[in-house]
Short mmCIF file of all heavy atoms in Angstrom, two decimals:
data_model
loop_
_atom_site.label_atom_id
_atom_site.label_comp_id
_atom_site.label_asym_id
_atom_site.label_seq_id
_atom_site.Cartn_x
_atom_site.Cartn_y
_atom_site.Cartn_z
N GLN A 1 0.82 -1.20 0.00
CA GLN A 1 0.00 0.00 0.00
C GLN A 1 0.86 1.25 0.00
O GLN A 1 0.56 2.23 -0.71
CB GLN A 1 -0.94 -0.01 1.21
CG GLN A 1 -2.02 -1.07 1.14
CD GLN A 1 -2.93 -1.06 2.37
OE1 GLN A 1 -2.62 -0.44 3.38
NE2 GLN A 1 -4.06 -1.74 2.26
N LEU A 2 1.92 1.24 0.78
CA LEU A 2 2.83 2.39 0.83
C LEU A 2 3.44 2.65 -0.55
O LEU A 2 3.55 3.80 -0.99
CB LEU A 2 3.93 2.14 1.85
CG LEU A 2 3.50 2.16 3.32
CD1 LEU A 2 4.60 1.59 4.21
CD2 LEU A 2 3.17 3.59 3.75
N VAL A 3 3.86 1.58 -1.23
CA VAL A 3 4.47 1.72 -2.55
C VAL A 3 3.47 2.26 -3.55
O VAL A 3 3.76 3.19 -4.34
CB VAL A 3 5.06 0.38 -3.02
CG1 VAL A 3 5.47 0.44 -4.48
CG2 VAL A 3 6.25 -0.01 -2.14
N ARG A 4 2.27 1.72 -3.56
CA ARG A 4 1.26 2.18 -4.52
C ARG A 4 0.88 3.65 -4.29
O ARG A 4 0.62 4.39 -5.23
CB ARG A 4 0.01 1.30 -4.43
CG ARG A 4 0.23 -0.14 -4.88
CD ARG A 4 -1.09 -0.82 -5.19
NE ARG A 4 -2.01 -0.80 -4.05
CZ ARG A 4 -2.08 -1.75 -3.13
NH1 ARG A 4 -1.26 -2.79 -3.20
NH2 ARG A 4 -2.94 -1.67 -2.13
N ASP A 5 0.88 4.05 -3.01
CA ASP A 5 0.48 5.42 -2.69
C ASP A 5 1.64 6.42 -2.81
O ASP A 5 1.40 7.60 -3.06
CB ASP A 5 -0.05 5.49 -1.25
CG ASP A 5 -1.37 4.75 -1.07
OD1 ASP A 5 -2.04 4.48 -2.09
OD2 ASP A 5 -1.71 4.42 0.09
N GLY A 6 2.89 5.94 -2.67
CA GLY A 6 3.99 6.88 -2.55
C GLY A 6 4.98 6.92 -3.69
O GLY A 6 5.76 7.88 -3.79
N ALA A 7 5.00 5.91 -4.56
CA ALA A 7 5.99 5.87 -5.64
C ALA A 7 5.46 6.59 -6.88
O ALA A 7 4.25 6.63 -7.12
CB ALA A 7 6.35 4.43 -5.98
N ALA A 8 6.39 7.14 -7.66
CA ALA A 8 6.01 7.80 -8.91
C ALA A 8 5.35 6.81 -9.87
O ALA A 8 4.38 7.13 -10.55
CB ALA A 8 7.23 8.44 -9.55
N SER A 9 5.89 5.61 -9.94
CA SER A 9 5.31 4.49 -10.68
C SER A 9 5.82 3.23 -10.01
O SER A 9 6.83 3.26 -9.30
CB SER A 9 5.69 4.52 -12.17
OG SER A 9 7.10 4.48 -12.33
N TRP A 10 5.14 2.13 -10.21
CA TRP A 10 5.51 0.96 -9.41
C TRP A 10 5.09 -0.35 -10.07
O TRP A 10 4.15 -0.41 -10.86
CB TRP A 10 4.88 1.03 -8.02
CG TRP A 10 3.42 1.32 -8.02
CD1 TRP A 10 2.82 2.54 -7.92
CD2 TRP A 10 2.34 0.38 -8.18
NE1 TRP A 10 1.45 2.44 -7.99
CE2 TRP A 10 1.13 1.12 -8.14
CE3 TRP A 10 2.28 -1.00 -8.35
CZ2 TRP A 10 -0.12 0.50 -8.27
CZ3 TRP A 10 1.04 -1.63 -8.48
CH2 TRP A 10 -0.14 -0.87 -8.42
N THR A 11 5.85 -1.39 -9.72
CA THR A 11 5.51 -2.79 -9.99
C THR A 11 5.53 -3.51 -8.66
O THR A 11 6.49 -3.37 -7.90
CB THR A 11 6.54 -3.47 -10.90
OG1 THR A 11 6.88 -2.63 -11.99
CG2 THR A 11 6.03 -4.80 -11.40
N VAL A 12 4.49 -4.27 -8.38
CA VAL A 12 4.48 -5.14 -7.20
C VAL A 12 4.54 -6.58 -7.69
O VAL A 12 3.70 -7.00 -8.49
CB VAL A 12 3.24 -4.91 -6.33
CG1 VAL A 12 3.13 -6.00 -5.25
CG2 VAL A 12 3.29 -3.53 -5.67
N VAL A 13 5.54 -7.31 -7.21
CA VAL A 13 5.73 -8.72 -7.59
C VAL A 13 5.54 -9.57 -6.35
O VAL A 13 6.21 -9.34 -5.33
CB VAL A 13 7.13 -8.95 -8.19
CG1 VAL A 13 7.34 -10.42 -8.50
CG2 VAL A 13 7.32 -8.11 -9.45
N ARG A 14 4.66 -10.55 -6.44
CA ARG A 14 4.37 -11.44 -5.31
C ARG A 14 4.88 -12.84 -5.62
O ARG A 14 4.16 -13.66 -6.20
CB ARG A 14 2.87 -11.48 -5.03
CG ARG A 14 2.27 -10.15 -4.62
CD ARG A 14 0.75 -10.19 -4.62
NE ARG A 14 0.17 -8.94 -4.15
CZ ARG A 14 -1.11 -8.59 -4.33
NH1 ARG A 14 -1.93 -9.40 -4.99
NH2 ARG A 14 -1.56 -7.44 -3.87
N PRO A 15 6.11 -13.17 -5.24
CA PRO A 15 6.62 -14.51 -5.53
C PRO A 15 6.02 -15.57 -4.61
O PRO A 15 5.54 -15.27 -3.50
CB PRO A 15 8.13 -14.38 -5.27
CG PRO A 15 8.40 -12.91 -5.17
CD PRO A 15 7.14 -12.30 -4.67
N GLY A 16 6.09 -16.80 -5.11
CA GLY A 16 5.81 -17.96 -4.27
C GLY A 16 7.14 -18.50 -3.76
O GLY A 16 7.96 -17.75 -3.22
N LEU A 17 7.37 -19.79 -3.97
CA LEU A 17 8.61 -20.41 -3.50
C LEU A 17 9.74 -20.12 -4.49
O LEU A 17 9.72 -20.59 -5.62
CB LEU A 17 8.42 -21.92 -3.35
CG LEU A 17 9.65 -22.71 -2.89
CD1 LEU A 17 10.17 -22.20 -1.56
CD2 LEU A 17 9.34 -24.20 -2.80
N ILE A 18 10.72 -19.33 -4.04
CA ILE A 18 11.88 -18.99 -4.85
C ILE A 18 12.97 -20.02 -4.57
O ILE A 18 13.29 -20.31 -3.42
CB ILE A 18 12.39 -17.58 -4.52
CG1 ILE A 18 11.25 -16.56 -4.57
CG2 ILE A 18 13.50 -17.17 -5.49
CD1 ILE A 18 11.64 -15.18 -4.06
N VAL A 19 13.56 -20.56 -5.65
CA VAL A 19 14.52 -21.66 -5.50
C VAL A 19 15.76 -21.38 -6.33
O VAL A 19 15.81 -20.43 -7.10
CB VAL A 19 13.88 -23.00 -5.92
CG1 VAL A 19 12.63 -23.29 -5.10
CG2 VAL A 19 13.53 -22.99 -7.42
N GLY A 20 16.75 -22.24 -6.17
CA GLY A 20 17.95 -22.14 -6.99
C GLY A 20 19.21 -21.94 -6.16
O GLY A 20 19.17 -21.92 -4.92
N PRO A 21 20.34 -21.80 -6.82
CA PRO A 21 21.62 -21.62 -6.12
C PRO A 21 21.57 -20.40 -5.20
O PRO A 21 21.06 -19.34 -5.56
CB PRO A 21 22.62 -21.40 -7.26
CG PRO A 21 21.98 -22.05 -8.45
CD PRO A 21 20.51 -21.84 -8.30
N GLY A 22 22.11 -20.57 -3.99
CA GLY A 22 22.13 -19.48 -3.02
C GLY A 22 20.94 -19.42 -2.11
O GLY A 22 20.85 -18.52 -1.26
N ASP A 23 20.00 -20.36 -2.23
CA ASP A 23 18.77 -20.34 -1.44
C ASP A 23 19.08 -20.40 0.05
O ASP A 23 19.61 -21.41 0.53
CB ASP A 23 17.89 -21.52 -1.85
CG ASP A 23 16.59 -21.61 -1.06
OD1 ASP A 23 16.30 -20.69 -0.27
OD2 ASP A 23 15.87 -22.60 -1.24
N PRO A 24 18.75 -19.35 0.83
CA PRO A 24 19.06 -19.37 2.25
C PRO A 24 18.09 -20.22 3.07
O PRO A 24 18.36 -20.50 4.24
CB PRO A 24 18.97 -17.90 2.66
CG PRO A 24 17.96 -17.32 1.71
CD PRO A 24 18.17 -18.06 0.40
N SER A 25 16.96 -20.63 2.48
CA SER A 25 15.98 -21.42 3.23
C SER A 25 16.28 -22.90 3.20
O SER A 25 15.91 -23.64 4.12
CB SER A 25 14.58 -21.17 2.68
OG SER A 25 14.37 -21.90 1.48
N GLY A 26 16.91 -23.38 2.13
CA GLY A 26 17.23 -24.80 2.01
C GLY A 26 16.05 -25.69 1.70
O GLY A 26 16.19 -26.92 1.70
N ARG A 27 14.88 -25.12 1.40
CA ARG A 27 13.70 -25.96 1.20
C ARG A 27 13.81 -26.78 -0.08
O ARG A 27 13.66 -28.01 -0.05
CB ARG A 27 12.45 -25.08 1.15
CG ARG A 27 12.01 -24.56 2.51
CD ARG A 27 10.91 -23.55 2.40
NE ARG A 27 11.38 -22.30 1.82
CZ ARG A 27 10.66 -21.17 1.78
NH1 ARG A 27 9.43 -21.17 2.25
NH2 ARG A 27 11.16 -20.07 1.26
N PHE A 28 14.04 -26.11 -1.19
CA PHE A 28 14.16 -26.84 -2.45
C PHE A 28 15.47 -27.62 -2.49
O PHE A 28 15.53 -28.73 -3.06
CB PHE A 28 14.10 -25.86 -3.62
CG PHE A 28 14.23 -26.50 -4.97
CD1 PHE A 28 13.15 -27.11 -5.59
CD2 PHE A 28 15.45 -26.50 -5.64
CE1 PHE A 28 13.27 -27.70 -6.84
CE2 PHE A 28 15.57 -27.08 -6.89
CZ PHE A 28 14.48 -27.69 -7.49
#
């Protein structure tokens, strides 16, 4: 909400499970 109200223009990206090299969660 802050970004939509305060930025000149904006993209909001809502990821799910992010995976790959460097993953700090270790799930995948």
